[in-house]
Amino acid sequence: MSVQPTTWVEGPAHRPVARPKGLRLAWGRNAPAYLFLTPWLIGFFGLTLGPALASLYLSFTDYDLIQAPHWAGAANYVRIATADPKFVAAMKVTFLYVALSVPLKLIFALAIAMMFNRGIRGLPIYRAIFYLPSLLGASVAISVLWRQLFASDGLINLVLWQLFGIEGPSWISNPNYSIYTLVILSVWQFGSPMIIFLAGLRQVPTDIYEAANLDGAGPVRQFFRITLPLLTPVIFFNVVIQTIDAFKAFTPAFVISSGTGGPINSTLFYTLYLYQEAFSFLRMGYASALAWILVVMIATFTAISFLSARYWVHYDD
Amino acid sequence: MTDVTAAAPAIGGRRRRPLSHSVLIHAVLILASLAMLYPILWMISGSFRPQDEIFGSTSLIPSSVSLGAYVRGWSGLQVSFGQFFWNSLVISVLATIGNVFGCSLAAFAFARLNFTGRNFWFALMLGTLMLPYHVTLIPQYILFLDLGWVNTILPLIVPKYLATDAFFIFLMVQFFRGIPRELDEAAMMDGCSPWRIYRKIMLPLSLPVLATAAIFSFIWTWDDFFGPLIYLNDIGTYTVQLGLRSFVDSTGQSDWSALFAMSNLSLVPVFLFFLFFQRLLIEGIATTGLKR
């Protein structure tokens, strides 16, 4: 912005403002705003952008916190892609977890929300009960509880024995079952997508159903032809949010497997593997590469979701 | 909340449903509720049982009530749970204040002030919403290690004052935009500074969103396991969540009732928020799509 007060003649007549004054105005207008933004700007550069770039750099190095980072080229990524059985195990566990927990959770959430939406008595009580697990579920206490529920002498096996005379296995220490205990824990917390579905269902205008009734459409047909299509924006939102969240799951696997991801890597969530590489083995460069692969996976999933949305999500204008 | 739901149109609500139909729905819902709550109730009752009784009983009513598990659990590790609770409380309160303060400042600028580059910064802020914290984790750890902050609570609270939880900025921007602009324009005419507008107009009118942000901040910080796991290594600095996890590893299968007792205590603050602020929590989720 060059200062040229004498040549300023072409400016609009109603704004006879010389540049120096304009600068001062710009300062007067911008300074307070940037003062308000200062904490965020410091956080953005110092704790988000800076570290993100640093981690991109570190992902191309070997770094153990003690010696300076040593440039390794793409070696970390090559090893991850070709010679890391634990990475393969973590990917399998994580994708299985996402693929099972997200759809099941959303089906439960929608089913219960549909029951609620029929103007049922005692709704606030029911809603509170179904929401409670998703509020408490993130804490270590619930993971501790799960460890006990699915232990060999835990509550689940006790119930199986008393009701059916079945002697259940130790669910959490059997690699064939352990991941499913974590899926159940996730599905149990369907409360918040349920509330979002409930809010979405309220937006559906009732006269559509009345018209459908007059035309003789039954409840099943109404569900698939009216409710489900009109709910697709909410379904889309829930799928994206819950999937990203499931990719990042950590605490239950850590607590239930005592931080090992065992038995035999059967609960080795991706984030748990990342944590082990970084903080148990101090392979900071390798862990940074893992982190960037996670970002790429989440970004790819999000991009695919948004691209696919135009084919199945109905937005009413 | 009751009146809101009652007033809301229900699907097919105007149709007359047979009685058997609604009895069936209630039966399903009651059964489902019991199944949902049974594990939690069982954990509560387990903590009051005599030590030898926790296994072998699916009943929710203990044969005799004992507080022994709470006594054993409270001092079950070399540092008492009292210390862990205190640490968690300090971290959660300071982090909550930080979030409300830091995020509302940024949100005010984005929602109400005109400045060069506003859209650019706002877009960047939204971009950070999508970024998983794992990419910043390791360099942040190195930074805090170099600052000598590891094993202190600073890495867990200072970032909150720098508004790193962009989600809350977004939440507040949405709310601030709903407050009539005439109010601050009038104040501006009267020569009010932006700071006074923020302090005297925006904050008092935004109590619902500030409360929502504060409650979720507190609950998330209280429940946070990953942050303390990385930054707090000395048992004296442990939060409740870390204390519980050490307790699992040290008692193993031996003293489940004491473990349950401490687990229950760790859930009490979250449960109290649930009891008293359920409406804010549920509205927060319904309007913004929080994930839990």
Side-chain angles (χ1 to χ4, degrees):
Chain A
M1 209 185 272
S2 63
V3 184
Q4 34 180 218
T6 48
T7 55
W8 182 286
V9 283
E10 291 149 19
H14 60 276
R15 237 188 71 202
V17 180
R19 275 292 164 96
K21 207 173 170 194
L23 260 181
R24 221 174 300 137
L25 269 183
W27 169 253
R29 192 166 65 106
N30 286 327
Y34 278 95
L35 272 178
F36 275 95
L37 274 189
T38 301
W40 177 77
L41 284 169
I42 297 171
F44 175 73
F45 285 107
L47 296 174
T48 306
L49 185 65
L53 294 176
S55 116
L56 189 60
Y57 164 73
L58 285 178
S59 74
F60 292 99
T61 67
D62 287 328
Y63 184 42
D64 60 0
L65 286 184
I66 299 155
Q67 286 169 325
H70 172 74
W71 184 259
N76 288 330
Y77 291 98
V78 171
R79 207 188 114 205
I80 289 171
T82 57
D84 186 353
K86 257 189 127 175
F87 170 77
V88 176
M91 290 288 275
K92 277 188 188 156
V93 169
T94 307
F95 275 93
L96 181 66
Y97 177 75
V98 170
L100 288 177
S101 69
V102 175
L104 284 174
K105 193 177 195 171
L106 294 187
I107 287 169
F108 270 94
L110 182 57
I112 300 283
M114 295 280 298
M115 287 191 193
F116 283 171
N117 200 50
R118 292 174 169 271
I120 199 157
R121 268 165 194 274
L123 183 137
I125 298 167
Y126 286 128
R127 188 182 46 199
I129 291 173
F130 288 111
Y131 172 59
L132 187 61
S134 72
L135 192 67
L136 299 181
S139 79
V140 171
I142 297 299
S143 296
V144 166
L145 168 63
W146 235 249
R147 216 177 128 129
Q148 164 58 14
L149 287 185
F150 290 95
S152 60
D153 50 3
L155 180 65
I156 299 294
N157 282 346
L158 215 54
V159 171
L160 285 178
W161 177 249
Q162 291 188 352
L163 288 185
F164 309 106
I166 299 170
E167 216 166 315
S170 170
W171 307 94
I172 55 164
S173 53
N174 184 324
N176 293 326
Y177 302 124
S178 50
I179 184 69
Y180 301 105
T181 66
L182 296 174
V183 170
I184 294 170
L185 174 55
S186 166
V187 174
W188 183 64
Q189 301 169 43
F190 64 75
S192 75
M194 173 196 79
I195 288 171
I196 297 169
F197 275 134
L198 205 49
L201 284 169
R202 296 238 172 82
Q203 306 292 319
V204 179
T206 39
D207 48 355
I208 301 187
Y209 293 99
E210 280 157 16
N213 269 337
L214 288 178
D215 291 346
V220 175
R221 215 175 141 82
Q222 287 185 18
F223 174 75
F224 284 105
R225 293 299 172 88
I226 301 173
T227 312
L228 215 49
L230 286 177
L231 218 51
T232 44
V234 184
I235 295 173
F236 173 70
F237 178 85
N238 272 335
V239 168
V240 172
I241 295 291
Q242 294 296 332
T243 305
I244 292 177
D245 206 38
F247 267 115
K248 299 197 285 193
F250 177 80
T251 308
F254 188 96
V255 174
I256 287 173
S257 71
S258 297
T260 64
I264 329 178
N265 295 336
S266 62
T267 60
L268 188 69
F269 280 174
Y270 193 90
T271 52
L272 184 50
Y273 179 45
L274 196 161
Y275 168 84
Q276 290 179 349
E277 284 295 312
F279 297 100
S280 306
F281 307 120
L282 296 182
R283 289 194 277 258
M284 295 291 172
Y286 200 70
S288 296
L290 288 173
W292 274 96
I293 290 173
L294 179 67
V295 173
V296 170
M297 286 196 298
I298 291 178
T300 310
F301 162 78
T302 312
I304 292 174
S305 309
F306 274 86
L307 287 176
S308 77
R310 50 189 289 215
Y311 299 107
W312 64 277
V313 178
H314 297 254
Y315 290 104
D316 50 315
D317 313 286
Chain B
M1 207 61 205
T2 325
D3 44 333
V4 176
T5 52
I11 293 176
R14 309 217 180 116
R15 262 180 297 163
R16 202 165 264 286
R17 270 197 315 272
L19 183 66
S20 63
H21 194 139
S22 77
V23 167
L24 184 72
I25 284 189
H26 277 287
V28 170
L29 285 177
I30 288 170
L31 273 178
S33 305
L34 286 175
M36 295 283 287
L37 290 187
Y38 184 54
I40 297 177
L41 296 175
W42 186 72
M43 176 161 76
I44 295 170
S45 95
S47 69
F48 291 108
R49 279 170 212 272
Q51 198 172 351
D52 52 344
E53 202 197 286
I54 189 156
F55 298 121
S57 172
T58 53
S59 143
L60 294 180
I61 299 147
S63 65
S64 65
V65 172
S66 142
L67 288 175
Y70 286 83
V71 176
R72 286 196 311 279
W74 190 259
S75 45
L77 293 169
Q78 71 221 57
V79 172
S80 98
F81 261 83
Q83 181 72 45
F84 302 149
F85 274 95
W86 173 249
N87 295 340
S88 277
L89 187 69
V90 169
I91 293 171
S92 303
V93 167
L94 291 177
T96 302
I97 295 171
N99 257 336
V100 171
F101 184 70
C103 294
S104 67
L105 283 176
F108 177 70
F110 284 131
R112 273 306 204 261
L113 301 177
N114 282 314
F115 57 97
T116 320
R118 180 170 74 171
N119 292 342
F120 173 73
W121 295 118
F122 191 67
L124 280 182
M125 190 275 292
L126 290 182
T128 63
L129 274 175
M130 307 293 291
L131 199 69
Y133 65 87
H134 305 84
V135 281
T136 54
L137 173 72
I138 288 165
Q140 274 188 17
Y141 179 80
I142 296 166
L143 173 72
F144 292 136
L145 192 66
D146 287 345
L147 290 172
W149 286 6
V150 169
N151 251 331
T152 72
I153 62 173
L154 291 173
L156 302 172
I157 58 169
V158 171
K160 314 285 182 186
Y161 287 81
L162 300 175
T164 47
D165 276 349
F167 174 75
F168 291 115
I169 305 181
F170 181 64
L171 188 72
M172 291 177 192
V173 166
Q174 299 291 90
F175 192 92
F176 289 173
R177 281 180 178 161
I179 295 174
R181 254 184 189 281
E182 289 77 21
L183 287 173
D184 29 326
E185 274 163 10
M188 198 90 85
M189 294 286 188
D190 292 345
C192 248
S193 67
W195 173 256
R196 274 181 68 86
I197 295 174
Y198 162 79
R199 265 299 283 116
K200 300 287 180 187
I201 297 178
M202 294 310 268
L203 290 191
L205 288 176
S206 306
L207 288 181
V209 77
L210 299 180
T212 306
I215 292 166
F216 277 107
S217 267
F218 188 96
I219 293 176
W220 290 351
T221 315
W222 183 270
D223 277 347
D224 184 24
F225 177 64
F226 197 74
L229 178 69
I230 286 166
Y231 288 112
L232 305 176
N233 309 314
D234 178 46
I235 192 165
T237 64
Y238 274 14
T239 61
V240 174
Q241 311 295 338
L242 287 186
L244 270 181
R245 175 257 169 156
S246 310
F247 204 31
V248 180
D249 292 346
S250 71
T251 62
Q253 305 285 325
S254 60
D255 196 353
W256 277 104
S257 48
L259 192 54
F260 279 3
M262 291 306 106
S263 297
N264 290 333
L265 286 185
S266 83
L267 295 175
V268 166
V270 179
F271 188 70
L272 288 179
F273 274 110
F274 172 75
L275 273 189
F276 291 110
F277 298 105
Q278 205 205 117
R279 198 177 60 88
L280 273 178
L281 291 171
I282 285 177
E283 278 175 6
I285 289 172
T287 53
T288 64
L290 291 164
K291 58 184 180 283
R292 57 169 193 265

